[in-house]
Amino acid sequence: MANRVTSKYKICRQLGENLWGRDKCPTNKTQTGPGQHGARRKRLTPYGIQLREKQKLKGYYGNISEKQFLRIFKEASNQKGDTSENLIGLLELRLDAVVYRSNFVPTVFSARQLINHKHIMVNGKVVNIPSYRVKAGDIIEVREKSRKIPLVMEAVEKMEREVPEYMTTNAKNFTTKFNHKPSFEEVPYPVQMNPNLVVEFYNR
């Protein structure tokens, strides 16, 4: 599991964007970087822009480690078709991403924690690996004894994010059916993502 060295909101401040579209994000009030006095944002070079887009995508999916992210990218580049589309599709197949998109938790970080603590089942079996890759037709659910966890109950009640069409979520039963691997256009990011620039970064 990737360690979250910095807080999720520090990641937002470093990037200058409300990465997950949350009301509590400090970038809603200020665009300064992290630190006591903030940091001035310099005009980025083409390389800097590519690097920033990679950091955005890594951060969005729970601050995935560079080693793990690079492995996913290499797999995407080895698949047929557009590498940027393949990359997004593989990231959306992660179990922690599916739990997060299902609104079973407020953040992707809490999704990872919920999975690690064996609160999530896939097709009736407990899975405790956040990077586990789901398949079309899989049923993901919160274990019955875990459905009264306050964090889960509040998240399901609020349903603060749009559930994408490639998933079918039943909030009442705490279940989600994963329908198919999505295209980039199907993924509801709250900020603009540019996976093509991530491809350029690694292919430079």
Side-chain angles (χ1 to χ4, degrees):
M1 182 184 76
N3 292 320
R4 180 168 51 132
V5 178
T6 55
S7 72
K8 56 182 178 293
Y9 292 134
K10 188 174 181 180
I11 296 171
C12 287
R13 290 189 65 191
Q14 287 172 338
L15 296 170
E17 294 192 55
N18 187 347
L19 201 55
W20 297 280
R22 304 209 75 204
D23 293 339
K24 296 179 180 179
C25 183
T27 60
N28 292 337
K29 297 181 180 179
T30 178
Q31 291 295 312
T32 58
Q36 183 178 359
H37 302 292
R40 293 183 179 179
R41 301 196 183 280
K42 299 178 181 179
R43 181 175 296 178
L44 296 175
T45 63
Y47 169 81
I49 293 172
Q50 293 168 358
L51 175 61
R52 185 173 181 274
E53 289 303 319
K54 185 197 69 159
Q55 297 301 90
K56 279 171 60 177
L57 206 56
K58 279 178 56 181
Y60 181 83
Y61 287 95
N63 210 17
I64 299 173
S65 71
E66 177 61 26
K67 182 178 180 180
Q68 190 175 25
F69 192 77
L70 179 58
R71 185 167 62 246
I72 296 170
F73 172 80
K74 288 181 177 178
E75 183 178 352
S77 63
N78 288 330
Q79 292 180 345
K80 293 181 180 179
D82 184 88
T83 300
S84 60
E85 285 281 348
N86 295 339
L87 176 61
I88 296 301
L90 290 174
L91 289 169
E92 284 295 306
L93 293 179
R94 289 175 57 96
L95 181 58
D96 53 4
V98 175
V99 171
Y100 170 67
R101 294 221 179 277
S102 301
N103 284 285
F104 295 152
V105 286
T107 70
V108 67
F109 300 101
S110 49
R112 188 173 295 168
Q113 186 177 39
L114 202 70
I115 295 165
N116 282 327
H117 292 170
K118 301 182 178 181
H119 296 300
I120 297 295
M121 296 194 301
V122 179
N123 299 328
K125 295 182 179 180
V126 173
V127 176
N128 65 341
I129 303 172
S131 61
Y132 175 89
R133 193 167 291 173
V134 303
K135 299 181 295 295
D138 280 354
I139 303 297
I140 297 89
E141 64 182 308
V142 180
R143 296 180 68 181
E144 188 171 356
K145 68 177 185 179
S146 306
R147 296 174 184 178
K148 292 186 179 181
I149 295 174
L151 183 80
V152 175
M153 292 180 66
E154 183 178 356
V156 172
E157 183 179 343
K158 287 185 176 180
M159 293 293 286
E160 65 180 12
R161 291 176 304 282
E162 171 191 358
V163 177
E165 292 185 1
Y166 50 92
M167 296 165 49
T168 304
T169 296
N170 186 324
K172 184 177 180 180
N173 294 331
F174 295 84
T175 64
T176 286
K177 181 180 179 181
F178 192 82
N179 299 321
H180 65 270
K181 183 170 75 170
S183 66
F184 174 51
E185 290 185 352
E186 291 180 286
V187 182
Y189 293 114
V191 297
Q192 183 177 354
M193 293 291 188
N194 298 286
N196 58 308
L197 294 180
V198 179
V199 175
E200 291 179 10
F201 174 85
Y202 283 117
N203 288 339
R204 71 192 188 284

